[in-house]
Amino acid sequence: MLPPIYNYRVFEYNAAGQNWGLSVNDQGELFGANDKGLLHFNGEEWVLNKLPNATIIRSVACVDDKIYTGSYEEFGYWKKNRIGEFEYTSLTQLITDHTFTNEEFWQIIPYGDKIAFRSFSTLYLYEEDSINIINPEFVVTNIAAVDNKILVASKSDGLYELVENKLQPINTGSALENFTIISMAAFQDGFMIGTQLNGSFLYRNGALEPFDEEINQLLKQHQLNKILTISSDEIAFGTIKNGIYLYNTKEKSIKNLNRATGLQNNTVLSMAKFDNQIWAGLENGLDRIDIESPISYFTDYSGSLGTTHDLVHTDSITYLGSNTGIYYLNNDFLNFINGSQGHVWDLEIIDDDIMAGHNTATFSLDESRLKKISQIAGGYQFVRVPESSATFLQGTYTGVAKYKRDNDNNWSISEINGIDFPVKQLCFEDARTLWAAHPYKGLFRFKLDENLTSVVEKKEFGSEVIPNIYQVKLYEIKNQIIIQSNGIWYKYDPIIAELSTFDEFKPYNQKSIMYADGEHFWFIDHGPSKEITYTDLQGQTISINEGQLGERLVPDMERIIRKNDSIYLLTLSDGFAQINLAKLQRKLANTQIPSPKLSFFKDVKQAHTVRDSAFEISYPNSSVIDMQFSVPSLIKPRYYYILAGPMNKESYSDHGTLSFQNLAHGEYTLSVSSVSMDNKKSPPTKLVFEIAPPWYLSTLSLVAYLLALVGIIFLVRMYNKQKLKKKHETLKIKLEREQDERMAKLEKEKLEKEIRGKQNELARTTMSVAKKNELILELKDLMLVNKDAFPNKRRYRSLTKKLDSSINEDEDWKQFEMNFKELHNDYFENLLKQYPKLTPKDLKLCAYLKMNLSTKEIAPLMAITVRGVEIHRYRLRKKLEIDSSQNLSSFLIKFK
């Protein structure tokens, strides 16, 4: 089993394939000496920084906040500016009285307050803005800092130590004569010396001795190139031909990481260590190795294994069942078992036998030998019959098969009658009650006969009982039948013969079981995170969210097998993983989750300084805001962020680069935490940024709006004041007009009242005169009738004359005429003006007719008979030229 290896390919970091040197700073950021420049990886983003002359960088070293690099006839350092970009400063201008001789700088070693730059011919020591030059008389193949001393290796003359800028030889005897020292590293109170073709040596306590023979033979064979100390007991050797060898001096164990086990190629040009991680610069690409990971892997890079569906582990051998057959792993070598070609669904250890459920049959395994024990196709799962040690049932393509072993360890197999559908999962409720899950039709509960040969009772649990009958999961846990449908967990209550929700598993709804033994459970979330959870349901819970593991799981085919109390094996698409639970618990308990670090903050037009934690952004530049957080010490970290402000957001992210678009203006607080493997969050990194309001909501605009509003209010007030004044004037005029009209109306009413009074008075006077004249005429007629009764004729005549005189007196007419003229001013004048031929008598008749008096009423007023009035009316009509169809009274009444 090997630690996880993370490959970074050339097209991912977008630079040259070769990385000649690697260095990691205290935060875990990687710097690579690449053919095209300085390669920087902050855990999220690869950035290539090119030298001004674009030459190849051969060496790199991180010292505090400076990154020193060496190239062709050039060395210097890089430092971040205020916006987080690297700027280069050359140090070669400090060199005086020296000429480069086609030198390339292959190593940079910090020691004390000095920085040593090495070419094959010269050493340059940089300190306090000055450079001292050391010119050895030999070819320098390597330098190393040990105990604050600089060791210098010659190509064939052994070792030297730099003392006060002078090279002094180290006594190593003749062991290194004519050996090319290619790499050195401090190790176990001394230092390791690696030669190009002659293995490695350990120098300590003034003595030189060859290193372990087993590893040395491999190093000689595969050409050692780099040495990296991992711990006091472990060291890494990078080779030209076969990748990396991890050697543990305490355990005497060797692990080989090469092309066959996950490296991108076998040529190791450089190595660097950070915490428990190794970076390897290869001939083509970069790899990252988590050497202390609690999850290790066996991966078949040849592709012959295929997808692992199940596995079992014996004392020394691990058997794997895949879609291509059965394999066994012995001493990390994968071997195929002949005759097992085909799809293997299930591997089980039954007593001393290893049973293999195959798509063609069921086999038993004895080391590498295969024996067919059943012809029934498709063996999915074995379950032991309760209260029996020798009887088992197996779900198959066509139903359920019964396996019974006799005393001679021979198996007899028969199919159970009454079950005729594929059964992937089955479990016992009791010795005769069997549960089976149909892939598409739900659940079935079968009662079997005493001999377990046929079904005597069948009950189906369909869509009326469970929410979804497709891919129902079935388990027997703590003597209970547990079912999962549509992500919800249920249990069967045999007393009431019904299903109810299983509260103990409620926290694991929407998750499937990969392993359960009644005390320990492994669940998996089939969502995008593919989170794996281990729990004992008693309070101990561990969550695993590991990118490489999640990428290699096969949906709905995940299976975990317990190897021992701490080790669990997990099937993968190209092999299997080994989870060391105890190691995982220790790592999670002892690891402090680092908070993310801000790498850049950009708006549409500019990058802001990363040294700040508060930013101001103009509104036109705020349509897109990009920022990047990184945790270079974690491998493929996840993040959780909360954005609080006028718009609120929160989410998990698999990348540290966050982009916010079209945020409303206002002040925002962004909190970003890194998320560990077990989904715990680090203390958040917080930054505040404020988006200025748009120009039309700026302070100046608001002041202008306020002034405009005050002006508008003033103008409105002035307008309203003028309008009110005008309205008051209009109302005053209207009121005066109404007052005048009211006075005129009162005057008119008064006049009308007076006219009506005069009309009534005139009418009364006229009627009084008419009645008087009528009475006089009646007296006259009476006297005329009784004329003979008067003895004195003279007296009779005198009386008659007085009566006639009473009728013809003009006083009544004058009084009438005066009152009439008051009512009808100029009436007579207008008549005479229009009809000049009218006589006073005609005028009198016209006046009586205007008053709408009848002929009978007019006759006594004119002292004539009714007939006389009619004749007079006729004559008057002629004078007035009135047609016979027109009413004379109406004409005179309307005439003015």
Side-chain angles (χ1 to χ4, degrees):
M1 302 300 295
L2 298 175
I5 301 173
Y6 299 85
N7 303 135
Y8 298 91
R9 305 183 188 282
V10 172
F11 64 83
E12 290 182 61
Y13 59 75
N14 198 26
Q18 293 176 318
N19 293 279
W20 300 101
L22 297 176
S23 183
V24 185
N25 66 12
D26 293 339
Q27 289 76 43
E29 295 178 82
L30 175 73
F31 298 88
N34 188 269
D35 276 359
K36 290 189 176 181
L38 174 65
L39 189 61
H40 172 226
F41 181 57
N42 64 4
E44 290 295 326
E45 181 182 32
W46 295 93
V47 176
L48 180 66
N49 302 274
K50 293 187 177 183
L51 286 168
N53 57 7
T55 54
I56 296 172
I57 293 180
R58 298 294 189 181
S59 56
V60 61
C62 301
V63 181
D64 298 327
D65 61 344
K66 295 179 180 178
I67 315 301
Y68 292 89
T69 59
S71 61
Y72 178 73
E73 295 187 349
E74 172 65 40
F75 59 84
Y77 65 85
W78 304 74
K79 193 172 182 179
K80 283 185 179 179
N81 59 20
R82 64 177 188 85
I83 63 173
E85 295 177 348
F86 282 98
E87 294 179 346
Y88 181 70
T89 300
S90 176
L91 295 176
T92 54
Q93 75 274 6
L94 300 176
I95 300 174
T96 58
D97 300 328
H98 177 79
T99 302
F100 288 117
T101 56
N102 293 319
E103 297 177 60
E104 288 188 294
F105 294 93
W106 289 92
Q107 272 186 286
I108 303 172
I109 301 294
Y111 73 105
D113 297 328
K114 300 179 181 180
I115 307 292
F117 297 86
R118 176 190 73 84
S119 69
F120 283 120
S121 61
T122 313
L123 294 179
Y124 299 82
L125 305 181
Y126 168 67
E127 182 182 17
E128 296 180 353
D129 292 331
S130 64
I131 293 178
N132 290 321
I133 302 173
I134 310 297
N135 288 305
E137 297 179 354
F138 50 81
V139 175
V140 180
T141 57
N142 192 255
I143 61 174
V146 178
D147 295 331
N148 204 29
K149 299 176 182 178
I150 287 290
L151 303 179
V152 180
S154 68
K155 185 174 182 180
S156 57
D157 294 337
L159 282 175
Y160 293 81
E161 180 184 345
L162 184 65
V163 180
E164 295 181 354
N165 294 338
K166 293 183 179 180
L167 294 174
Q168 296 181 358
I170 298 174
N171 184 15
T172 58
S174 60
L176 298 177
E177 287 184 5
N178 300 319
F179 290 176
T180 300
I181 299 173
I182 196 68
S183 182
M184 295 184 292
F187 187 65
Q188 293 183 343
D189 300 326
F191 57 93
M192 186 72 69
I193 301 171
T195 66
Q196 191 171 37
L197 298 172
N198 302 96
S200 59
F201 299 82
L202 182 60
Y203 183 90
R204 59 185 171 183
N205 301 324
L208 183 70
E209 57 186 33
F211 200 50
D212 184 86
E213 181 62 24
E214 183 180 3
I215 187 66
N216 257 352
Q217 287 300 321
L218 295 171
L219 299 180
K220 293 175 183 179
Q221 178 183 354
H222 299 295
Q223 193 176 342
L224 174 65
N225 191 41
K226 294 293 177 183
I227 298 175
L228 179 68
T229 301
I230 298 174
S231 67
S232 60
D233 296 320
E234 195 167 12
I235 192 166
F237 299 97
T239 69
I240 295 297
K241 297 180 180 180
N242 201 28
I244 298 173
Y245 288 94
L246 301 177
Y247 183 72
N248 190 301
T249 57
K250 187 175 182 179
E251 299 175 358
K252 301 295 182 180
S253 64
I254 301 173
K255 293 181 180 179
N256 183 209
L257 306 177
N258 56 19
R259 181 70 179 85
T261 57
L263 291 184
Q264 294 181 71
N265 62 69
N266 287 333
T267 300
V268 180
L269 300 179
S270 56
M271 290 190 296
K273 178 181 175 292
F274 177 79
D275 285 346
N276 294 312
Q277 303 167 23
I278 294 176
W279 282 96
L282 308 175
E283 178 69 19
N284 189 26
L286 282 161
D287 284 349
R288 192 177 192 178
I289 306 157
D290 188 1
I291 54 177
E292 289 297 322
S293 173
I295 305 174
S296 55
Y297 296 90
F298 172 80
T299 305
D300 172 43
Y301 288 95
S302 69
S304 60
L305 173 63
T307 300
T308 305
H309 288 276
D310 201 3
L311 47 84
V312 294
H313 181 76
T314 63
D315 293 337
S316 59
I317 300 176
T318 300
Y319 291 90
L320 293 82
S322 77
N323 64 303
T324 61
I326 304 173
Y327 298 78
Y328 67 94
L329 193 65
N330 195 3
N331 295 324
D332 292 332
F333 290 100
L334 188 67
N335 303 276
F336 179 69
I337 296 179
N338 293 326
S340 68
Q341 293 90 337
H343 206 302
V344 178
W345 295 106
D346 183 45
L347 292 176
E348 299 278 353
I349 297 178
I350 298 178
D351 296 333
D352 296 328
D353 288 344
I354 299 175
M355 309 292 284
H358 197 276
N359 70 314
T360 61
T362 297
F363 301 88
S364 68
L365 287 172
D366 183 9
E367 293 186 355
S368 62
R369 294 184 296 275
L370 200 64
K371 178 182 178 182
K372 183 183 290 187
I373 62 172
S374 169
Q375 298 289 344
I376 302 173
Y380 283 123
Q381 179 188 6
F382 276 100
V383 293
R384 187 186 297 270
V385 175
E387 304 174 8
S388 174
S389 61
T391 306
F392 300 83
L393 297 188
Q394 180 191 45
T396 70
Y397 286 174
T398 56
V400 177
K402 174 185 171 185
Y403 286 70
K404 190 171 183 179
R405 184 164 55 180
D406 60 22
N407 294 330
D408 295 326
N409 290 328
N410 295 317
W411 291 96
S412 61
I413 297 97
S414 61
E415 294 189 81
I416 296 178
N417 296 324
I419 305 177
D420 56 0
F421 58 82
V423 177
K424 269 193 172 184
Q425 292 180 293
L426 70 164
C427 59
F428 277 97
E429 180 182 333
D430 56 45
R432 290 180 51 204
T433 306
L434 180 69
W435 286 76
H438 192 289
Y440 310 109
K441 296 183 179 180
L443 283 172
F444 293 86
R445 182 173 182 263
F446 299 103
K447 280 287 188 180
L448 306 180
D449 61 14
E450 291 184 2
N451 297 319
L452 306 180
T453 58
S454 62
V455 175
V456 296
E457 183 182 324
K458 172 182 174 183
K459 183 177 180 180
E460 181 177 354
F461 295 84
S463 57
E464 73 282 354
V465 178
I466 54 179
N468 191 340
I469 63 174
Y470 177 72
Q471 292 293 350
V472 178
K473 304 293 177 62
L474 176 65
Y475 307 92
E476 188 272 320
I477 298 175
K478 295 183 179 179
N479 298 319
Q480 295 185 90
I481 302 300
I482 307 301
I483 298 122
Q484 187 184 50
S485 173
N486 215 34
I488 309 299
W489 290 101
Y490 301 88
K491 66 178 180 179
Y492 177 73
D493 189 336
I495 297 175
I496 60 175
E498 290 183 358
L499 296 178
S500 61
T501 56
F502 188 40
D503 292 336
E504 284 188 79
F505 277 10
K506 191 173 182 179
Y508 306 101
N509 284 342
Q510 309 304 323
K511 296 184 178 183
S512 297
I513 287 180
M514 296 191 294
Y515 174 85
D517 61 9
E519 295 181 359
H520 307 90
F521 302 87
W522 290 84
F523 292 89
I524 183 168
D525 186 345
H526 289 294
S529 67
K530 294 186 177 179
E531 179 184 84
I532 296 173
T533 303
Y534 166 82
T535 180
D536 60 3
L537 299 182
Q538 303 298 320
Q540 184 185 23
T541 300
I542 300 175
S543 296
I544 302 173
N545 196 316
E546 207 275 331
Q548 186 177 124
L549 187 65
E551 293 170 2
R552 298 169 66 180
L553 292 171
V554 181
D556 296 319
M557 295 183 183
E558 307 93 344
R559 192 167 182 180
I560 284 182
I561 293 85
R562 186 175 182 177
K563 185 176 179 180
N564 55 44
D565 289 343
S566 295
I567 307 297
Y568 290 83
L569 307 180
L570 172 61
T571 60
L572 299 177
S573 61
D574 52 4
F576 66 95
Q578 179 174 284
I579 302 175
N580 188 323
L581 192 60
K583 189 175 182 180
L584 176 62
Q585 290 171 324
R586 289 195 302 270
K587 179 177 181 179
L588 296 178
N590 298 328
T591 302
Q592 187 175 9
I593 310 168
S595 299
K597 174 184 174 184
L598 180 65
S599 300
F600 65 73
F601 188 97
K602 300 176 182 177
D603 58 29
V604 172
K605 286 190 176 179
Q606 64 174 334
H608 297 257
T609 174
V610 295
R611 299 167 187 167
D612 295 337
S613 59
F615 306 90
E616 293 183 359
I617 307 169
S618 65
Y619 188 79
N621 297 342
S622 67
S623 58
V624 179
I625 300 174
D626 294 322
M627 61 200 75
Q628 186 183 86
F629 295 85
S630 62
V631 188
S633 62
L634 298 181
I635 300 176
K636 296 187 176 180
R638 290 192 307 142
Y639 301 88
Y640 176 75
Y641 70 87
I642 299 176
L643 179 68
M647 297 175 68
N648 297 308
K649 296 183 179 181
E650 61 178 297
S651 181
Y652 285 93
S653 175
D654 290 332
H655 305 283
T657 301
L658 304 179
S659 181
F660 299 105
Q661 299 180 2
N662 301 319
L663 292 177
H665 67 87
E667 184 174 289
Y668 292 86
T669 299
L670 179 67
S671 301
V672 182
S673 300
S674 54
V675 183
S676 68
M677 179 189 292
D678 59 341
N679 284 336
K680 292 182 180 178
K681 301 180 182 67
S682 72
T685 297
K686 293 187 177 182
L687 61 85
V688 177
F689 62 93
E690 183 175 4
I691 300 175
W695 66 267
Y696 51 83
L697 293 177
S698 64
T699 302
L700 186 61
S701 297
L702 293 176
V703 171
Y705 297 151
L706 181 61
L707 294 176
L709 179 61
V710 171
I712 291 171
I713 292 173
F714 177 76
L715 292 175
V716 169
R717 285 178 59 86
M718 290 294 295
Y719 173 75
N720 288 337
K721 190 174 180 180
Q722 293 295 326
K723 186 177 180 182
L724 185 61
K725 183 178 179 182
K726 187 175 181 181
K727 190 172 183 180
H728 284 168
E729 292 177 353
T730 304
L731 184 60
K732 182 178 178 181
I733 294 171
K734 182 179 179 182
L735 290 175
E736 290 176 352
R737 186 183 298 115
E738 289 178 352
Q739 184 68 18
D740 292 343
E741 289 177 353
R742 194 179 298 109
M743 294 300 295
K745 184 177 181 182
L746 292 174
E747 187 68 25
K748 181 179 179 182
E749 290 176 353
K750 182 179 179 183
L751 290 174
E752 288 177 349
K753 186 176 181 181
E754 290 178 359
I755 290 172
R756 284 195 298 274
K758 290 184 178 182
Q759 285 177 339
N760 293 334
E761 183 181 353
L762 179 60
R764 284 193 302 271
T765 304
T766 302
M767 294 308 297
S768 176
V769 173
K771 288 182 179 179
K772 180 194 76 168
N773 288 348
E774 185 178 2
L775 179 59
I776 292 173
L777 287 175
E778 288 180 358
L779 288 174
K780 187 179 177 181
D781 289 341
L782 184 59
M783 287 176 60
L784 183 61
V785 173
N786 298 302
K787 178 178 182 182
D788 294 335
F790 287 92
N792 189 346
K793 298 295 185 181
R794 186 177 177 182
R795 189 172 182 82
Y796 170 75
R797 284 194 294 275
S798 176
L799 186 58
T800 303
K801 189 175 178 179
K802 285 183 179 179
L803 290 172
D804 289 336
S805 177
S806 298
I807 295 173
N808 293 326
E809 285 184 357
D810 293 333
E811 291 297 329
D812 292 334
W813 167 251
K814 289 180 180 178
Q815 183 65 35
F816 174 82
E817 184 179 20
M818 183 180 67
N819 292 333
F820 184 82
K821 285 184 177 181
E822 287 180 0
L823 291 172
H824 308 289
N825 191 25
D826 298 332
Y827 182 75
F828 292 132
E829 288 79 357
N830 292 335
L831 277 174
L832 289 172
K833 186 177 179 181
Q834 192 167 353
Y835 305 102
K837 293 182 180 181
L838 296 177
T839 64
K841 193 173 182 179
D842 292 333
L843 294 174
K844 190 180 288 188
L845 177 60
C846 288
Y848 294 144
L849 289 173
K850 184 164 183 68
M851 293 182 64
N852 200 23
L853 298 177
S854 64
T855 300
K856 187 176 179 181
E857 291 171 336
I858 294 172
L861 293 173
M862 297 186 69
I864 59 176
T865 63
V866 173
R867 176 66 179 165
V869 175
E870 292 177 350
I871 293 171
H872 201 171
R873 284 172 63 106
Y874 175 75
R875 290 173 181 165
L876 181 60
R877 181 185 291 277
K878 291 293 185 181
K879 290 181 180 180
L880 295 176
E881 298 177 353
I882 296 175
D883 187 81
S884 57
S885 61
Q886 190 172 3
N887 187 284
L888 179 60
S889 296
S890 298
F891 174 77
L892 291 172
I893 289 170
K894 296 176 180 178
F895 188 84
K896 293 183 180 180

